[in-house]
Amino acid sequence: MQYIYAFIIGGILCVIAQILIDKTKLTPARILVAYVISGVILTAIGVYDPLIEFAGAGASVPLTGFGYSLAKGIEESVASDGWLGAFTGGLTACSAGIAAAIFFGVAMALARRAFSK
């Protein structure tokens, strides 16, 4: 059932984004930023933790999950390091994912370039 819950929640997040793209004049970049900010806000008010427990990857993989990771990293870092953690916690929590995205993006670009000739 966990896979079905992940599919449903992830699908709902994607449907909402598609509706915003189709029915509003918001640019995709603004919608992406809104998703990250909504992940932070939903984490701050305590709504996103139960959603992660329920849907797993369906809630943690989309951009709202990135906002959740930022907020959780800041929350944990502030608890351990004080107010300095507000500036370092988000970077620490998300650095591995960002580094992996950059690495694999560059690797795929180089592979594409090498095999397209």
XYZ file of all heavy atoms in Angstrom:
846
model
N 0.815 -1.208 0.000
C 0.000 0.000 0.000
C 0.855 1.267 0.000
O 0.402 2.297 -0.462
C -0.927 0.009 1.220
C -2.137 -0.899 1.119
S -3.159 -0.628 -0.327
C -3.919 0.913 0.028
N 2.074 1.157 0.547
C 2.949 2.330 0.612
C 3.208 2.898 -0.786
O 3.243 4.103 -0.973
C 4.270 1.966 1.300
C 5.179 3.136 1.529
C 4.659 4.110 2.572
O 3.945 3.720 3.482
N 4.993 5.365 2.440
N 3.383 2.027 -1.769
C 3.618 2.487 -3.137
C 2.404 3.211 -3.702
O 2.535 4.201 -4.421
C 3.981 1.313 -4.048
C 5.287 0.660 -3.700
C 5.330 -0.686 -3.384
C 6.476 1.374 -3.680
C 6.522 -1.307 -3.067
C 7.670 0.773 -3.364
C 7.687 -0.566 -3.063
O 8.869 -1.172 -2.742
N 1.241 2.720 -3.380
C 0.008 3.359 -3.863
C -0.160 4.735 -3.227
O -0.501 5.702 -3.903
C -1.210 2.449 -3.584
C -1.090 1.182 -4.434
C -2.514 3.184 -3.861
C -2.098 0.115 -4.122
N 0.100 4.824 -1.913
C 0.010 6.122 -1.237
C 1.013 7.107 -1.818
O 0.691 8.280 -2.034
C 0.242 5.975 0.261
C -0.804 5.167 0.988
C -0.453 4.406 2.086
C -2.132 5.156 0.580
C -1.402 3.655 2.766
C -3.084 4.411 1.250
C -2.718 3.666 2.342
O -3.655 2.928 3.011
N 2.231 6.649 -2.071
C 3.254 7.519 -2.654
C 2.822 7.993 -4.038
O 2.983 9.169 -4.382
C 4.591 6.788 -2.732
N 2.272 7.085 -4.838
C 1.807 7.435 -6.175
C 0.676 8.456 -6.118
O 0.667 9.436 -6.875
C 1.347 6.177 -6.913
C 0.824 6.436 -8.282
C 1.688 6.680 -9.339
C -0.539 6.437 -8.526
C 1.202 6.920 -10.608
C -1.034 6.674 -9.788
C -0.160 6.921 -10.844
N -0.256 8.259 -5.214
C -1.412 9.162 -5.118
C -0.981 10.556 -4.663
O -1.345 11.557 -5.280
C -2.486 8.574 -4.177
C -3.133 7.353 -4.835
C -3.540 9.613 -3.822
C -4.034 6.555 -3.917
N -0.199 10.638 -3.592
C 0.213 11.949 -3.078
C 1.121 12.658 -4.074
O 0.946 13.851 -4.351
C 0.899 11.808 -1.704
C -0.079 11.245 -0.675
C 1.476 13.138 -1.239
C -1.320 12.077 -0.446
N 2.097 11.946 -4.634
C 2.963 12.551 -5.657
C 2.160 12.993 -6.870
O 2.405 14.057 -7.439
N 1.184 12.191 -7.263
C 0.326 12.551 -8.392
C -0.520 13.773 -8.115
O -0.695 14.635 -8.986
N -1.030 13.879 -6.893
C -1.830 15.058 -6.527
C -0.973 16.321 -6.594
O -1.418 17.354 -7.108
C -2.466 14.873 -5.133
C -3.582 13.837 -5.196
C -2.985 16.197 -4.581
C -4.118 13.408 -3.844
N 0.253 16.239 -6.081
C 1.157 17.399 -6.152
C 1.430 17.793 -7.606
O 1.458 18.978 -7.941
C 2.462 17.107 -5.416
C 2.350 16.985 -3.897
C 3.659 16.477 -3.310
C 1.953 18.303 -3.281
N 1.606 16.810 -8.472
C 1.852 17.096 -9.887
C 0.606 17.665 -10.571
O 0.715 18.568 -11.407
C 2.310 15.835 -10.608
S 3.953 15.287 -10.117
N -0.565 17.145 -10.223
C -1.815 17.653 -10.811
C -2.030 19.111 -10.415
O -2.426 19.935 -11.249
C -3.007 16.762 -10.381
C -4.333 17.441 -10.645
C -2.948 15.428 -11.095
N -1.751 19.435 -9.153
C -1.901 20.821 -8.713
C -0.978 21.734 -9.514
O -1.391 22.808 -9.982
C -1.632 20.951 -7.198
C -2.730 20.244 -6.412
C -1.525 22.406 -6.775
C -2.426 20.076 -4.937
N 0.261 21.309 -9.712
C 1.206 22.112 -10.494
C 0.730 22.261 -11.934
O 0.823 23.349 -12.512
C 2.593 21.492 -10.452
N 0.227 21.186 -12.515
C -0.244 21.258 -13.901
C -1.450 22.177 -14.026
O -1.559 22.945 -14.987
C -0.594 19.865 -14.423
C -0.853 19.831 -15.906
C 0.359 20.223 -16.721
O 1.437 19.700 -16.506
N 0.180 21.140 -17.650
N -2.344 22.151 -13.068
C -3.496 23.058 -13.079
C -3.018 24.504 -12.981
O -3.525 25.384 -13.688
C -4.489 22.701 -11.951
C -5.181 21.377 -12.273
C -5.507 23.814 -11.747
C -5.995 20.808 -11.133
N -2.041 24.757 -12.113
C -1.492 26.112 -11.994
C -0.853 26.568 -13.305
O -0.990 27.730 -13.698
C -0.471 26.178 -10.857
C -1.032 26.090 -9.444
C 0.097 25.968 -8.434
C -1.911 27.285 -9.146
N -0.168 25.673 -13.983
C 0.445 26.024 -15.271
C -0.621 26.322 -16.317
O -0.525 27.300 -17.065
C 1.380 24.894 -15.761
C 2.634 24.834 -14.890
C 1.763 25.090 -17.225
C 3.511 23.617 -15.152
N -1.663 25.475 -16.373
C -2.690 25.609 -17.402
C -3.670 26.749 -17.154
O -4.106 27.402 -18.097
C -3.488 24.307 -17.531
C -2.664 23.174 -18.099
O -1.596 23.436 -18.691
O -3.087 22.003 -17.934
N -4.029 26.998 -15.914
C -5.126 27.922 -15.611
C -4.693 29.295 -15.105
O -5.534 30.162 -14.934
C -6.064 27.299 -14.562
C -6.665 25.982 -14.983
C -7.594 26.153 -16.149
C -8.220 24.816 -16.508
N -9.032 24.880 -17.699
N -3.408 29.483 -14.836
C -2.947 30.787 -14.364
C -1.862 31.313 -15.284
O -1.406 30.608 -16.181
C -2.377 30.695 -12.924
O -1.178 29.924 -12.942
C -3.380 30.079 -11.969
N -1.463 32.519 -15.050
C -0.379 33.111 -15.828
C 0.957 32.996 -15.097
O 1.921 33.649 -15.453
C -0.686 34.570 -16.134
C -1.870 34.733 -17.069
C -2.056 36.169 -17.480
C -3.318 36.271 -18.307
N -3.089 36.692 -19.645
N 0.999 32.150 -14.062
C 2.249 31.931 -13.336
C 3.246 31.197 -14.220
O 2.881 30.263 -14.930
C 2.002 31.108 -12.069
C 1.209 31.774 -10.957
C 0.896 30.761 -9.863
C 1.980 32.941 -10.388
N 4.483 31.622 -14.151
C 5.525 30.924 -14.900
C 5.914 29.660 -14.139
O 5.721 29.570 -12.926
C 6.765 31.818 -15.072
O 7.305 32.109 -13.784
C 6.419 33.104 -15.797
N 6.462 28.670 -14.841
C 6.900 27.456 -14.143
C 7.903 27.745 -13.027
O 7.871 27.093 -11.984
C 7.524 26.615 -15.251
C 6.781 27.024 -16.481
C 6.541 28.496 -16.296
N 8.771 28.729 -13.222
C 9.749 29.065 -12.182
C 9.046 29.558 -10.916
O 9.438 29.191 -9.800
C 10.722 30.121 -12.693
N 8.021 30.344 -11.059
C 7.282 30.835 -9.887
C 6.535 29.706 -9.192
O 6.426 29.683 -7.969
C 6.326 31.952 -10.285
C 7.071 33.211 -10.636
C 6.152 34.334 -10.947
N 6.946 35.530 -11.205
C 6.460 36.649 -11.653
N 5.167 36.758 -11.879
N 7.247 37.675 -11.867
N 6.032 28.777 -9.963
C 5.342 27.631 -9.374
C 6.340 26.759 -8.605
O 6.046 26.287 -7.501
C 4.606 26.825 -10.458
C 3.475 27.676 -11.049
C 4.066 25.513 -9.907
C 2.834 27.110 -12.287
N 7.529 26.574 -9.156
C 8.560 25.802 -8.458
C 8.935 26.455 -7.140
O 9.050 25.787 -6.107
C 9.804 25.654 -9.341
C 9.642 24.872 -10.638
C 10.917 24.925 -11.452
C 9.236 23.452 -10.362
N 9.115 27.759 -7.161
C 9.443 28.486 -5.925
C 8.288 28.393 -4.936
O 8.501 28.198 -3.735
C 9.802 29.956 -6.242
C 9.904 30.780 -4.977
C 11.100 30.025 -7.035
N 7.072 28.490 -5.423
C 5.902 28.375 -4.544
C 5.838 26.992 -3.901
O 5.476 26.870 -2.715
C 4.626 28.646 -5.326
N 6.208 25.961 -4.628
C 6.218 24.615 -4.064
C 7.270 24.486 -2.961
O 7.012 23.882 -1.931
C 6.455 23.587 -5.167
C 5.180 22.960 -5.683
C 4.105 23.748 -6.059
C 5.056 21.594 -5.784
C 2.944 23.180 -6.520
C 3.897 21.011 -6.249
C 2.837 21.807 -6.612
O 1.675 21.236 -7.054
N 8.449 25.025 -3.186
C 9.484 24.953 -2.153
C 9.038 25.721 -0.916
O 9.149 25.227 0.214
C 10.836 25.489 -2.685
C 11.852 25.598 -1.568
C 11.366 24.596 -3.793
N 8.501 26.914 -1.109
C 8.039 27.721 0.026
C 6.875 27.037 0.742
O 6.814 27.044 1.973
C 7.662 29.140 -0.446
C 8.920 29.883 -0.881
C 6.932 29.906 0.639
C 8.652 31.204 -1.570
N 5.981 26.419 -0.010
C 4.865 25.733 0.647
C 5.364 24.538 1.456
O 4.808 24.240 2.516
C 3.816 25.302 -0.377
O 4.330 24.310 -1.245
N 6.416 23.868 0.986
C 7.007 22.792 1.784
C 7.562 23.294 3.099
O 7.407 22.657 4.143
N 8.202 24.465 3.058
C 8.737 25.068 4.285
C 7.598 25.466 5.223
O 7.634 25.185 6.427
C 9.623 26.292 3.953
C 9.985 27.061 5.205
C 10.870 25.860 3.204
N 6.567 26.098 4.687
C 5.445 26.550 5.516
C 4.689 25.365 6.110
O 4.352 25.364 7.302
C 4.505 27.467 4.698
C 5.221 28.776 4.377
C 3.205 27.723 5.445
C 4.492 29.657 3.383
N 4.435 24.335 5.299
C 3.726 23.162 5.813
C 4.538 22.432 6.870
O 3.976 21.860 7.814
C 3.374 22.211 4.663
C 2.307 22.719 3.694
C 2.164 21.768 2.520
C 0.983 22.913 4.399
N 5.859 22.467 6.745
C 6.719 21.886 7.786
C 6.648 22.718 9.053
O 6.574 22.170 10.162
C 8.173 21.792 7.291
O 8.200 21.009 6.098
C 9.069 21.161 8.329
N 6.661 24.032 8.907
C 6.639 24.921 10.071
C 5.354 24.773 10.881
O 5.390 24.857 12.109
C 6.815 26.371 9.624
N 4.242 24.533 10.222
C 2.982 24.401 10.961
C 2.688 22.954 11.350
O 1.656 22.676 11.949
C 1.800 25.021 10.183
C 1.567 24.309 8.849
C 1.991 26.499 9.991
C 0.338 24.786 8.098
N 3.587 22.039 10.992
C 3.458 20.656 11.434
C 2.602 19.760 10.578
O 2.210 18.676 11.012
N 2.304 20.159 9.359
C 1.451 19.365 8.483
C 2.261 18.391 7.618
O 1.783 17.301 7.301
C 0.608 20.301 7.571
C -0.182 19.527 6.550
C -0.294 21.157 8.422
N 3.482 18.754 7.287
C 4.229 17.952 6.316
C 4.824 16.684 6.925
O 4.983 15.690 6.215
C 5.316 18.800 5.645
C 5.550 18.403 4.213
C 4.653 18.790 3.230
C 6.628 17.628 3.840
C 4.834 18.422 1.918
C 6.822 17.255 2.525
C 5.930 17.656 1.573
O 6.105 17.267 0.267
N 5.157 16.680 8.202
C 5.689 15.465 8.842
C 4.717 14.288 8.731
O 5.120 13.196 8.317
C 6.036 15.731 10.305
C 7.399 16.368 10.470
O 8.292 16.096 9.634
O 7.577 17.128 11.428
N 3.435 14.464 9.071
C 2.505 13.337 8.904
C 2.337 12.925 7.440
O 2.138 11.745 7.154
C 1.187 13.870 9.468
C 1.551 15.014 10.332
C 2.812 15.580 9.776
N 2.441 13.879 6.525
C 2.330 13.554 5.108
C 3.510 12.695 4.655
O 3.335 11.748 3.888
C 2.245 14.839 4.276
C 1.910 14.682 2.809
C 0.550 14.049 2.622
C 1.954 16.030 2.116
N 4.709 13.006 5.138
C 5.895 12.195 4.831
C 5.724 10.795 5.413
O 6.063 9.802 4.773
C 7.173 12.862 5.397
C 7.475 14.167 4.679
C 8.355 11.921 5.347
C 8.175 14.047 3.368
N 5.212 10.704 6.641
C 4.980 9.395 7.259
C 3.984 8.572 6.449
O 4.142 7.369 6.297
C 4.443 9.569 8.689
C 5.427 10.157 9.655
C 6.527 9.187 10.032
O 6.248 7.974 10.114
O 7.658 9.652 10.233
N 2.952 9.232 5.921
C 1.905 8.537 5.177
C 2.351 8.152 3.777
O 2.174 7.012 3.353
C 0.661 9.437 5.107
C -0.450 8.877 4.276
C -1.208 7.822 4.742
C -0.745 9.410 3.030
C -2.234 7.301 3.978
C -1.764 8.899 2.261
C -2.522 7.838 2.739
N 2.955 9.092 3.040
C 3.217 8.877 1.619
C 4.666 8.573 1.287
O 4.965 8.194 0.169
C 2.760 10.093 0.826
N 5.582 8.757 2.209
C 6.984 8.451 1.938
C 7.537 9.263 0.781
O 7.481 10.490 0.775
N 8.052 8.569 -0.226
C 8.692 9.235 -1.368
C 7.709 10.078 -2.177
O 8.118 11.018 -2.849
C 9.349 8.205 -2.278
N 6.440 9.784 -2.111
C 5.456 10.584 -2.825
C 5.388 12.009 -2.316
O 5.003 12.925 -3.039
N 5.801 12.217 -1.074
C 5.810 13.559 -0.497
C 7.213 14.114 -0.346
O 7.400 15.323 -0.295
C 5.116 13.549 0.863
N 8.219 13.251 -0.253
C 9.574 13.748 -0.011
C 10.358 14.039 -1.282
O 11.313 14.796 -1.246
C 10.357 12.762 0.867
O 10.554 11.546 0.185
N 9.998 13.466 -2.402
C 10.752 13.662 -3.636
C 10.398 14.957 -4.363
O 11.291 15.639 -4.855
C 10.590 12.437 -4.567
C 11.184 12.694 -5.925
C 11.240 11.220 -3.927
N 9.138 15.371 -4.460
C 8.842 16.617 -5.184
C 9.454 17.849 -4.512
O 10.051 17.763 -3.452
C 7.310 16.702 -5.138
C 6.849 15.328 -4.860
C 7.921 14.693 -4.025
N 9.301 18.986 -5.133
C 9.899 20.219 -4.622
C 9.396 20.605 -3.238
O 10.120 21.241 -2.486
C 9.649 21.365 -5.597
C 10.572 21.322 -6.809
C 10.118 22.319 -7.850
C 11.993 21.570 -6.411
N 8.207 20.215 -2.891
C 7.751 20.476 -1.529
C 8.620 19.706 -0.537
O 8.860 20.175 0.574
C 6.281 20.082 -1.356
O 6.099 18.750 -1.848
C 5.359 21.017 -2.099
N 9.110 18.557 -0.942
C 10.025 17.789 -0.108
C 11.361 18.486 0.074
O 12.004 18.353 1.118
N 11.803 19.237 -0.941
C 13.028 20.014 -0.805
C 12.835 21.114 0.240
O 13.700 21.336 1.083
C 13.424 20.616 -2.153
C 14.678 21.434 -2.103
C 15.897 20.853 -1.843
C 14.623 22.798 -2.326
C 17.060 21.606 -1.798
C 15.765 23.560 -2.288
C 16.992 22.965 -2.020
N 11.693 21.767 0.209
C 11.380 22.764 1.234
C 11.306 22.138 2.610
O 11.771 22.712 3.593
N 10.748 20.928 2.677
C 10.694 20.188 3.944
C 12.102 19.903 4.459
O 12.386 20.101 5.637
C 9.923 18.881 3.732
C 10.022 17.896 4.863
C 9.260 18.046 6.008
C 10.880 16.800 4.781
C 9.344 17.139 7.046
C 10.980 15.889 5.809
C 10.208 16.057 6.935
O 10.301 15.162 7.964
N 12.987 19.461 3.581
C 14.369 19.169 3.984
C 15.085 20.423 4.481
O 15.822 20.376 5.473
C 15.147 18.565 2.823
O 14.616 17.332 2.450
N 14.878 21.537 3.786
C 15.474 22.793 4.231
C 14.986 23.174 5.623
O 15.779 23.511 6.508
C 15.144 23.918 3.252
C 15.889 23.958 1.935
C 15.284 25.031 1.025
C 17.352 24.229 2.159
N 13.681 23.124 5.811
C 13.105 23.525 7.091
C 13.544 22.598 8.223
O 13.871 23.061 9.320
C 11.580 23.559 6.999
N 13.562 21.293 7.966
C 13.984 20.348 8.991
C 15.458 20.538 9.334
O 15.847 20.458 10.495
C 13.751 18.903 8.527
C 12.379 18.410 8.803
C 12.050 18.602 10.252
C 11.014 17.667 10.720
N 10.599 17.923 12.084
N 16.287 20.780 8.325
C 17.705 21.011 8.579
C 17.933 22.247 9.425
O 18.752 22.233 10.355
N 17.210 23.296 9.127
C 17.330 24.526 9.910
C 16.831 24.302 11.329
O 17.466 24.715 12.299
C 16.575 25.679 9.225
C 17.289 26.065 7.925
C 16.433 26.879 10.146
C 16.521 27.021 7.056
N 15.714 23.620 11.458
C 15.146 23.346 12.779
C 16.129 22.550 13.652
O 16.357 22.891 14.814
C 13.847 22.560 12.596
C 13.103 22.236 13.846
C 11.838 21.459 13.524
O 10.985 21.998 12.792
O 11.715 20.319 14.004
N 16.705 21.504 13.095
C 17.648 20.675 13.857
C 18.935 21.429 14.172
O 19.497 21.301 15.262
C 17.955 19.402 13.086
C 16.766 18.462 12.991
C 16.977 17.324 12.018
O 18.093 17.201 11.453
O 16.028 16.561 11.816
N 19.404 22.233 13.218
C 20.647 22.968 13.426
C 20.470 24.088 14.454
O 21.380 24.348 15.244
C 21.144 23.529 12.095
O 22.427 24.062 12.226
N 19.336 24.732 14.458
C 19.070 25.763 15.463
C 18.990 25.129 16.852
O 19.479 25.692 17.828
C 17.785 26.546 15.122
C 17.299 27.359 16.304
C 18.018 27.451 13.926
N 18.410 23.932 16.921
C 18.315 23.251 18.210
C 19.693 22.887 18.764
O 19.908 22.923 19.977
C 17.456 22.000 18.075
N 20.633 22.567 17.875
C 21.947 22.153 18.364
C 22.980 23.277 18.389
O 23.839 23.306 19.269
C 22.481 20.997 17.519
O 22.727 21.421 16.197
N 22.910 24.222 17.446
C 23.935 25.261 17.329
C 23.451 26.662 17.676
O 24.219 27.609 17.581
C 24.501 25.291 15.905
C 25.130 23.975 15.505
O 25.605 23.254 16.398
O 25.143 23.670 14.298
N 22.201 26.819 17.992
C 21.663 28.148 18.265
C 21.307 28.869 16.967
O 21.091 28.250 15.925
N 21.254 30.183 17.044
C 20.808 30.972 15.892
C 21.733 30.883 14.687
O 21.327 31.140 13.572
C 20.601 32.426 16.296
C 19.354 32.577 17.096
C 19.261 32.770 18.441
C 18.013 32.481 16.618
N 17.947 32.800 18.827
C 17.150 32.631 17.714
C 17.450 32.271 15.370
C 15.776 32.576 17.605
C 16.074 32.224 15.254
C 15.258 32.379 16.356
N 22.984 30.540 14.902
C 23.892 30.346 13.765
C 23.393 29.212 12.870
O 23.592 29.235 11.660
C 25.305 30.052 14.267
C 26.378 29.885 13.204
C 26.517 31.172 12.389
C 27.692 29.510 13.829
N 22.708 28.250 13.456
C 22.141 27.140 12.701
C 21.096 27.558 11.690
O 20.843 26.847 10.718
N 20.485 28.720 11.889
C 19.502 29.217 10.921
C 20.150 29.508 9.572
O 19.493 29.469 8.539
C 18.821 30.468 11.456
N 21.441 29.800 9.601
C 22.147 30.113 8.356
C 22.838 28.906 7.750
O 23.144 28.892 6.560
C 23.183 31.223 8.606
C 22.568 32.487 9.116
C 22.670 32.835 10.451
C 21.849 33.313 8.264
C 22.085 33.988 10.929
C 21.255 34.470 8.736
C 21.371 34.809 10.073
N 23.127 27.887 8.559
C 23.877 26.736 8.065
C 23.054 25.465 7.946
O 23.423 24.563 7.196
C 25.070 26.448 9.003
O 24.579 26.143 10.308
C 26.013 27.620 9.066
N 21.956 25.356 8.658
C 21.188 24.112 8.707
C 20.615 23.667 7.385
O 20.678 22.488 7.035
N 20.056 24.587 6.623
C 19.482 24.229 5.331
C 20.516 23.742 4.347
O 20.297 22.785 3.599
N 21.674 24.391 4.361
C 22.750 23.979 3.452
C 23.276 22.603 3.830
O 23.539 21.771 2.953
C 23.885 25.008 3.483
C 23.516 26.414 3.008
C 24.679 27.364 3.237
C 23.126 26.382 1.549
N 23.432 22.370 5.113
C 23.943 21.084 5.572
C 22.961 19.963 5.246
O 23.361 18.887 4.801
C 24.201 21.125 7.086
O 25.081 22.208 7.366
C 24.803 19.844 7.583
N 21.681 20.203 5.450
C 20.678 19.162 5.243
C 20.509 18.791 3.777
O 20.230 17.640 3.455
C 19.332 19.619 5.812
N 20.685 19.741 2.883
C 20.408 19.498 1.466
C 21.652 19.387 0.603
O 21.543 19.197 -0.605
C 19.510 20.615 0.935
S 17.917 20.639 1.730
N 22.833 19.504 1.196
C 24.048 19.553 0.378
C 24.295 18.273 -0.398
O 24.729 18.326 -1.553
C 25.255 19.891 1.249
O 25.433 18.908 2.246
N 24.022 17.109 0.184
C 24.262 15.853 -0.531
C 23.352 15.730 -1.747
O 23.797 15.329 -2.831
C 24.064 14.669 0.410
N 22.094 16.079 -1.599
C 21.164 16.005 -2.724
C 21.495 16.987 -3.827
O 21.416 16.659 -5.014
N 21.884 18.192 -3.444
C 22.254 19.200 -4.438
C 23.526 18.781 -5.169
O 23.619 18.879 -6.395
C 22.414 20.578 -3.775
C 21.059 21.075 -3.276
C 23.028 21.578 -4.739
C 21.143 22.293 -2.395
N 24.514 18.277 -4.419
C 25.764 17.824 -5.033
C 25.511 16.663 -5.985
O 26.086 16.616 -7.086
C 26.766 17.427 -3.959
N 24.640 15.727 -5.599
C 24.320 14.602 -6.474
C 23.621 15.074 -7.744
O 23.918 14.590 -8.843
C 23.450 13.590 -5.729
N 22.710 16.021 -7.607
C 22.005 16.541 -8.787
C 22.971 17.215 -9.747
O 22.896 17.025 -10.963
C 20.910 17.518 -8.356
N 23.900 17.994 -9.214
C 24.885 18.655 -10.062
C 25.789 17.624 -10.722
O 26.045 17.691 -11.938
C 25.704 19.677 -9.253
C 24.808 20.843 -8.848
C 26.910 20.172 -10.045
C 25.438 21.787 -7.844
N 26.286 16.663 -9.947
C 27.177 15.643 -10.489
C 26.511 14.860 -11.612
O 27.077 14.703 -12.695
C 27.633 14.687 -9.385
C 28.404 13.512 -9.901
C 29.729 13.653 -10.280
C 27.803 12.272 -10.034
C 30.446 12.577 -10.780
C 28.509 11.188 -10.531
C 29.837 11.343 -10.900
N 25.309 14.351 -11.375
C 24.640 13.545 -12.392
C 24.206 14.384 -13.588
O 24.184 13.898 -14.721
C 23.465 12.778 -11.789
C 23.901 11.652 -10.904
C 23.610 11.679 -9.554
C 24.631 10.596 -11.404
C 24.022 10.654 -8.722
C 25.050 9.560 -10.581
C 24.740 9.587 -9.230
N 23.863 15.645 -13.359
C 23.544 16.526 -14.480
C 24.741 16.745 -15.386
O 24.639 16.659 -16.618
N 25.893 17.009 -14.793
C 27.122 17.186 -15.586
C 27.505 15.880 -16.266
O 27.891 15.865 -17.448
C 28.278 17.713 -14.697
C 29.604 17.662 -15.424
C 27.981 19.129 -14.247
N 27.385 14.759 -15.555
C 27.735 13.457 -16.136
C 26.853 13.144 -17.345
O 27.347 12.682 -18.386
C 27.616 12.358 -15.086
N 25.553 13.420 -17.239
C 24.655 13.156 -18.365
C 24.923 14.108 -19.531
O 24.842 13.696 -20.694
C 23.186 13.265 -17.930
C 22.742 12.131 -17.021
S 22.878 10.523 -17.807
C 24.255 9.822 -16.956
N 25.262 15.352 -19.225
C 25.589 16.292 -20.297
C 26.840 15.847 -21.034
O 26.896 15.894 -22.278
C 25.785 17.695 -19.713
N 27.851 15.399 -20.298
C 29.078 14.911 -20.936
C 28.827 13.628 -21.735
O 29.360 13.478 -22.843
C 30.167 14.684 -19.878
C 30.703 15.934 -19.202
C 31.645 15.558 -18.071
C 31.376 16.853 -20.205
N 28.008 12.736 -21.181
C 27.677 11.502 -21.906
C 26.908 11.804 -23.172
O 27.171 11.232 -24.241
C 26.881 10.563 -21.004
N 25.980 12.718 -23.091
C 25.195 13.113 -24.272
C 26.094 13.698 -25.343
O 25.965 13.415 -26.522
C 24.120 14.103 -23.840
C 23.410 14.817 -24.955
C 22.264 13.981 -25.479
N 21.350 14.742 -26.271
C 21.491 14.954 -27.583
N 22.549 14.505 -28.202
N 20.596 15.610 -28.246
N 27.002 14.532 -24.887
C 27.923 15.173 -25.838
C 28.857 14.148 -26.478
O 29.134 14.207 -27.665
C 28.727 16.250 -25.123
C 29.548 17.072 -26.040
C 30.155 18.206 -25.288
N 30.435 19.275 -26.214
C 31.135 20.315 -25.920
N 31.620 20.469 -24.705
N 31.342 21.254 -26.807
N 29.337 13.201 -25.693
C 30.265 12.193 -26.212
C 29.579 11.248 -27.201
O 30.183 10.833 -28.186
C 30.852 11.387 -25.048
N 28.343 10.891 -26.955
C 27.645 9.924 -27.810
C 26.869 10.560 -28.948
O 26.335 9.851 -29.792
C 26.724 9.050 -26.967
C 27.460 8.144 -26.028
C 27.305 8.271 -24.670
C 28.321 7.176 -26.518
C 27.993 7.445 -23.795
C 29.018 6.350 -25.662
C 28.851 6.473 -24.293
N 26.785 11.870 -28.992
C 26.023 12.517 -30.070
C 26.863 12.789 -31.290
O 26.359 13.175 -32.325
C 25.393 13.814 -29.566
O 26.409 14.775 -29.283
N 28.169 12.591 -31.191
C 29.050 12.864 -32.343
C 29.169 11.694 -33.260
O 28.938 10.617 -33.093
C 30.432 13.275 -31.836
C 30.378 14.607 -31.173
C 31.750 15.016 -30.730
C 31.665 16.403 -30.083
N 32.913 16.893 -29.665
